[in-house]
């Protein structure tokens, strides 16, 4: 194995000397070695709902909202606007699962994902620049989010705007209402600059939000007369929705008082606990997978624990702790993991194949490290999956495999008899060092436009 490392080092040095330009290209493309960047859209344990779905839930609970319709094409927007049912002026809202729409930019060049329009032609023109395009905001990441639906809403004139939300808070060991008289803006910024403007009201899980409590809260916000009663009633209905639909966040921004004295929820964001999918099947059926990272969708269907990272070395590991240790040792040797992927203790050969397909679909992956400690997981099952994946997917990136545990000898025999160029290691430190070197060679080759391929079949 020492000879393998020596040969790899020789090859790496040869590539480094071959082209200064390729080295510069590689350096410019490398990530900061002091950080591993997670794809933030993947770190989530709740279901995000589109605004139109959330508003539909509010309607079901008898909560006042603006009249609206959903459109999927500019022609539908034109028909809705021309019908006049929503008034002469309408608001067109892009439907994506990310905040900051109002200040976002479409790949069509149009700025803003929430637009007030004054004519049928303007509505059609705006929707053409929204539908079928990607919207980029501070929360979408560099990939943006595709817009396939828009909400066409009636225009309402507001007198005052408030912020209202219900969420779960560890400090209160249950639900808490967070509200403010400064609605319609960035609540995080308001909380940072003027924390006194934020009101927090814990809710007792046994009694729920009582009328007395909601009236007191509405009074603190400055509601009086009929508006006070309306606000109190809406708060109780919102809490009822929060409990019955297994929400972990219900946010209204803004909760508005219109010029004619009506209290209306102008916008709504709802997140549902993913563990509640068994009793909220109708809501989970509305999940929009086009808004998710494609890797998340594929991993979920294969029942794999996967988080995409921004590195160049794909990892396939069993057990979350071992996966973290594998990522650490890759980092120690100067590499960066392209993913966190835990196949668990009961993975099948088919799941291993799915895992390889998921890893190699990422164009940044330059090498793969398989690290399996077979306790519940059988090493021969992993080996069968690796062999099947290598043959069916026609893999052309180097694979380094470290297997230990149950039926490891059977696994090694399978790999050896497969006649595939898979580098087997018994030591994790050695495996990590080799895979990092291989990844660097592939990276240098790509940067120098050298057509180097690691074809697995002999």
């Amino acid at each position: 194995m020492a000879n393998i490392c020596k040969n790899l080092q020789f090859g790496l040095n040869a590539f480094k000397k071959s082209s200064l330009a390729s080295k510069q290209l590689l350096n410019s493309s490398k990530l900061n070695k002091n950080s591993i960047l997670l794809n933030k859209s993947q770190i989530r344990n709740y279901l995000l709902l589109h605004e139109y779905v959330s508003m539909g839930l509010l309607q079901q609970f008898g909560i006042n909202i603006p009249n609206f319709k959903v459109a999927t094409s500019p022609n539908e927007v034109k028909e809705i606007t021309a019908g006049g049912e929503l008034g002469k002026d309408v608001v067109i809202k892009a439907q994506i699962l990310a905040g900051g729409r109002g200040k976002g930019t479409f790949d069509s060049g149009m700025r803003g994902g929430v637009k007030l329009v004054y004519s049928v032609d303007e509505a059609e023109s705006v929707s053409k620049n929204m539908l079928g395009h990607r919207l980029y905001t501070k929360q979408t990441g560099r990939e943006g989010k595709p817009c396939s639906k828009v909400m066409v809403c009636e225009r309402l004139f507001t007198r005052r705007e408030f912020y209202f939300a219900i969420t779960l808070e560890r400090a209160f060991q249950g639900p808490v209402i967070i509200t403010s008289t400064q609605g319609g803006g960035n609540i995080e910024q308001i909380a940072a600059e003027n924390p006194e403007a934020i009101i927090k009201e814990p809710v007792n899980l046994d009694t729920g939000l009582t009328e007395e409590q909601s009236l007191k809260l509405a009074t603190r916000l400055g509601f009086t007369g009929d508006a006070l009663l309306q606000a109190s009633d809406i708060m109780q209905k919102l809490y009822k929705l929060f409990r019955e639909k297994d929400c972990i966040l219900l946010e209204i921004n803004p909760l508005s008082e219109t010029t004619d004295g009506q209290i209306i929820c102008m916008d709504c964001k709802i997140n549902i606990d993913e563990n509640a999918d068994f009793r909220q099947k109708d809501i989970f059926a509305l999940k929009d997978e086009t808004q998710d990272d494609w890797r998340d969708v594929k991993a979920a269907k294969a029942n794999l624990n996967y988080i995409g990272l921004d590195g160049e070395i794909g990892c396939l590991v069993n057990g979350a702790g071992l996966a973290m240790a594998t990522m650490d040792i890759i980092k120690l040797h100067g590499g960066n993991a392209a993913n966190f992927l835990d196949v668990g203790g009961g993975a099948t050969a088919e799941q291993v194949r799915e895992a390889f397909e998921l890893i190699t679909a990422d164009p940044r992956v330059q090498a793969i490290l398989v690290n399996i400690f077979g306790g519940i997981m059988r090493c021969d099952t992993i080996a069968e999956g690796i062999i099947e994946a290598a043959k069916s997917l026609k893999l052309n990136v180097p694979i380094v495999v470290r297997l230990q545990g149950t039926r490891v000898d059977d696994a090694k025999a399978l790999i050896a008899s497969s006649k595939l160029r898979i580098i087997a290691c018994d030591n994790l430190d050695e495996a990590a060092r080799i895979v990092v070197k291989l990844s660097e060679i592939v990276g240098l080759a790509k940067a120098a436009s050298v057509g180097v391929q690691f074809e697995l079949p002999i």
Side-chain angles (χ1 to χ4, degrees), residues 390-420:
K391 290 179 177 178
S392 61
L393 300 176
K394 297 181 181 180
L395 301 180
N396 61 358
V397 294
I399 300 174
V400 179
V401 178
R402 183 258 185 178
L403 299 172
Q404 290 292 339
T406 306
R407 295 199 176 182
V408 66
D409 292 334
D410 293 343
K412 289 179 179 179
L414 284 169
I415 291 173
S417 63
S418 70
K419 296 184 180 182
L420 298 176

Side-chain angles (χ1 to χ4, degrees), residues 31-49:
L31 294 170
N32 183 340
K33 292 289 183 180
N34 296 320
S35 65
I36 293 179
L37 303 177
L38 277 72
N39 182 328
K40 292 183 180 179
S41 67
Q42 294 183 313
I43 309 171
R44 192 170 69 224
N45 58 353
Y46 52 84
L47 172 69
L48 284 168
L49 298 181

Side-chain angles (χ1 to χ4, degrees), residues 237-254:
K237 288 176 178 176
L238 288 172
Y239 182 77
K240 187 172 186 288
L241 189 161
F242 181 86
R243 282 298 305 270
E244 291 187 9
K245 296 301 180 181
D246 293 296
C247 302
I248 60 173
L249 172 67
L250 190 160
E251 181 182 58
I252 309 296
N253 191 21

Side-chain angles (χ1 to χ4, degrees), residues 131-350:
L131 291 165
H133 294 281
R134 299 187 81 85
L135 178 58
Y136 301 87
T137 76
K138 289 183 177 180
Q139 295 186 17
T140 62
R142 62 189 175 194
E143 296 87 4
K145 295 285 187 182
C147 176
S148 58
K149 292 183 176 71
V150 295
M151 275 180 67
V152 185
C153 308
E154 68 172 326
R155 182 187 185 186
L156 296 176
F157 295 90
T158 61
R159 177 170 170 264
R160 293 189 297 170
E161 294 184 336
F162 305 84
Y163 176 86
F164 184 90
I166 309 173
T167 188
L168 297 174
E169 174 57 55
R170 188 185 301 272
F172 296 104
Q173 298 184 4
V176 60
I177 291 172
I178 302 172
T179 187
S180 174
T181 56
Q182 299 181 30
N186 187 329
I187 193 63
E188 290 86 359
Q189 184 178 348
I190 293 169
E193 295 176 356
N194 186 17
E196 294 78 15
I198 306 298
I199 299 171
K200 293 184 179 180
E201 181 73 19
V203 180
N204 187 295
L205 279 169
D206 294 326
T207 60
L209 183 65
T210 63
E211 183 179 4
E212 179 185 1
Q213 195 174 13
S214 62
L215 284 170
K216 179 182 176 182
L217 202 53
T219 302
R220 289 182 67 184
L221 291 172
F223 289 106
T224 59
D226 183 58
L228 174 67
L229 299 177
Q230 286 187 60
S232 172
D233 181 60
I234 285 177
M235 288 178 188
Q236 290 180 73
K237 288 176 178 176
L238 288 172
Y239 182 77
K240 187 172 186 288
L241 189 161
F242 181 86
R243 282 298 305 270
E244 291 187 9
K245 296 301 180 181
D246 293 296
C247 302
I248 60 173
L249 172 67
L250 190 160
E251 181 182 58
I252 309 296
N253 191 21
L255 173 68
S256 298
E257 181 181 3
T258 62
T259 52
D260 61 354
Q262 297 298 306
I263 308 301
I264 296 182
C265 296
M266 302 292 283
D267 195 316
C268 182
K269 175 181 178 180
I270 292 178
N271 297 341
I272 307 291
D273 187 347
E274 277 194 346
N275 295 308
D277 59 350
F278 69 97
R279 63 183 175 205
Q280 304 294 348
K281 294 186 183 298
D282 55 334
I283 296 177
F284 276 79
L286 299 173
K287 181 178 181 178
D288 184 359
E289 292 186 344
T290 65
Q291 297 286 307
D292 287 338
D293 188 299
W294 63 269
R295 297 173 297 182
D296 275 351
V297 176
K298 187 173 183 61
K301 289 180 178 177
N303 198 27
L304 298 169
N305 298 313
Y306 178 90
I307 297 175
L309 305 173
D310 286 343
E312 65 284 340
I313 299 172
C315 301
L316 190 156
V317 190
N318 69 317
L322 188 59
M324 295 297 290
T326 303
M327 291 161 56
D328 285 344
I329 201 165
I330 287 172
K331 190 76 172 176
L332 180 66
H333 286 286
N336 289 287
N339 61 272
F340 169 99
L341 199 160
D342 169 20
V343 295
T348 63
E350 178 58 28

